[in-house]
Amino acid sequence: MSADNLNSSLRRIPGDHHPEYCHQCGKCSSGCPVASFFDFRPRRIVAMVQLGIIGELLESEDIWKCAQCLACKERCPRDVAPYDVIQALQNLAFKRNLVFPKDYSALINSILKQGVIQEPTRVRIRRHPPPEDKTKRAFEFGDRTSLGLPEAKKPDEIAKFAIALKKALKGDEK
Amino acid sequence: MKLAFYPGCTVQSEQYAYEISARRIFPKLGIQLIDIEGFSCCGYPLKNVSVPAWFYLTARNLALAEKFGLNIFPLCNGCNLSFCEVKHYLKKDPILKERVNSLLSMEGLTYTGNIKSVHILQVLRQIIGIEKIRAAVKMPLTRLKLAAHYGCHALRPSKLEMPDDPEDPKSIEELIEALGAVTEDYPERLDCCGQGLAMTTGKTALTISGLKLRAVQDHKFDGIVTICPFCTKMLDAKQNAIKASIAQKDLNMPVMYITQLLGLAMGMKVEELGLNLNSSPVSEALRKLEKL
């Protein structure tokens, strides 16, 4: 993977990212909620992209430590959109099967299978008012039906939906 | 006014309290929630790994609402952001729009971009209006001091018609006051809930949420008001896990959806608003309101 190649692949991922506009003011890193926990700095990531050091980013876990709060994108005085730069890097790392959180595979399978991230779950319902007899359970279990909610939404024709989504995931361009 | 009601995956699969309370209060405030069959995930969870899949999923739901000629009303900050962002990108780039439409044609759908997504704060403040809400209040929440929690995706990026000012929003505070409760500014008001980190570094996500809860409790609020199911999942459903994770056994903060508080102020019962589903100690707040 040459640096030029990666750079042009990165640019082709849709978004409002403009790493070339950055003048390294650091406003993004100073407002980042994650920067106080990890050595994660949006400013440095943008600088690395500017310098063409993209391969290294794609093979590190760092780009996945973003909390997606968008403060950097909001506050950037140069419209760099550091968040969008990070998102484009993450897309590229996934596309090239490099480093990405493994849970994404299960998430994708779930959406392909049922159209949503998860089926409705059973929840605990607190008895109200709480039972005076302390030997009685303070909770019961319920679901959408027992709570009087209509059926959860999902695609009507899941097979067609899954084919279209698979195509989108492959990034098929016509 | 009719709106295409889009609960979103997290609400329809586990955050039932939001859906129950929304379905209760909005019709009483003149908003007819129209259920549309066939809605899927909004695509937001996949944006980090596949922008094309994100575009497809988001546009698919917008296209479904378009068929009915209705603006879409998502109950989630993330879904709303998805709808606004994808609309923006597809408007900017006709080639992307064409690609998305070729995928949508498999299900006989077309995306044109002629409907809007309306955020809950826009529905409450701009469509219904504070005056109408104030008039609907029968039992003011006078004894409560409530902290507003907006969630990042309600406010950013402000270039896309977000419902309030990104650095100094006021809508939740206005609503809290309209319901008869009090509120005040606090330094951590706009801090992130940490949910975006849940998949990669769960422990840090809990810590970030814990810091927010700690701050709200130290400022002596009686509860937090939320509008996003992801933030609520962190602050409410995971409050016990947070206590253990950051060794703060005394964390004890009621977390309630704005729709639940609206319903209480409108005179509805605890069960009608799903207030028996919150995991955080809402009974503390209900006791103050003499609802327990």
Coordinates of all heavy atoms in Angstrom, one line a residue, chain B residues 4 22 68 77-78 92 123 126 139 148 179 194 217 273:
Chain B
A4 N -44.2 10.6 11.0 CA -43.8 9.2 10.9 C -43.0 8.9 12.1 O -41.9 9.4 12.3 CB -43.0 9.0 9.6
A22 N -43.7 8.4 25.2 CA -43.9 9.2 24.0 C -45.3 8.9 23.4 O -46.0 9.8 23.0 CB -42.8 8.9 23.0
F68 N -45.2 8.1 2.5 CA -46.4 8.6 3.2 C -46.5 10.1 3.2 O -47.4 10.7 3.8 CB -46.5 8.0 4.6 CG -46.7 6.5 4.7 CD1 -45.6 5.6 4.5 CD2 -47.9 5.9 4.8 CE1 -45.7 4.3 4.5 CE2 -48.1 4.6 4.8 CZ -47.0 3.7 4.7
N77 N -31.2 10.6 19.5 CA -30.3 11.6 18.9 C -29.5 11.1 17.8 O -29.2 11.8 16.8 CB -29.3 12.1 20.0 CG -29.9 13.0 21.0 OD1 -31.0 13.5 20.8 ND2 -29.2 13.3 22.1
G78 N -29.0 9.8 17.9 CA -28.2 9.2 16.9 C -28.9 9.0 15.6 O -28.4 9.3 14.5
K92 N -25.6 16.9 -1.5 CA -24.3 17.4 -2.1 C -23.8 16.6 -3.3 O -23.1 17.2 -4.1 CB -23.3 17.3 -0.9 CG -22.3 18.5 -0.8 CD -21.5 18.5 0.4 CE -20.5 17.3 0.5 NZ -19.5 17.5 1.5
V123 N -39.9 19.1 18.0 CA -41.3 18.8 18.1 C -41.9 19.5 19.3 O -42.9 20.1 19.2 CB -41.5 17.2 18.2 CG1 -43.0 16.9 18.5 CG2 -41.0 16.5 17.0
Q126 N -40.8 23.8 18.8 CA -41.2 24.5 17.6 C -42.6 24.1 17.1 O -43.4 24.9 16.7 CB -40.2 24.4 16.5 CG -38.9 25.2 16.9 CD -37.7 24.6 16.1 OE1 -37.8 24.0 15.1 NE2 -36.6 24.9 16.7
M139 N -50.1 19.0 37.2 CA -49.5 18.8 38.5 C -48.0 19.3 38.3 O -47.2 18.4 38.0 CB -49.5 17.3 38.8 CG -50.7 16.6 38.4 SD -51.7 15.9 39.6 CE -50.7 15.0 40.7
A148 N -30.3 19.1 33.1 CA -30.5 18.8 31.7 C -29.3 18.0 31.2 O -28.2 18.4 31.4 CB -30.7 20.1 30.9
L179 N -42.5 22.8 33.2 CA -43.2 21.8 33.9 C -43.3 22.1 35.4 O -43.8 21.3 36.2 CB -42.5 20.4 33.7 CG -42.3 19.9 32.3 CD1 -41.7 18.5 32.3 CD2 -43.7 19.9 31.6
G194 N -20.4 9.0 27.0 CA -19.4 8.0 26.8 C -19.8 6.8 26.0 O -19.0 5.9 25.7
Q217 N -24.8 14.6 40.9 CA -25.2 14.3 42.3 C -24.5 15.3 43.2 O -25.1 15.8 44.2 CB -24.7 12.8 42.6 CG -25.2 12.4 44.0 CD -25.2 10.9 44.1 OE1 -25.6 10.2 43.2 NE2 -24.8 10.4 45.2
L273 N -46.4 5.8 32.2 CA -45.2 6.4 31.6 C -44.0 5.6 31.6 O -42.9 6.0 31.4 CB -45.0 7.7 32.4 CG -46.2 8.7 32.3 CD1 -46.0 9.8 33.4 CD2 -46.2 9.4 30.9

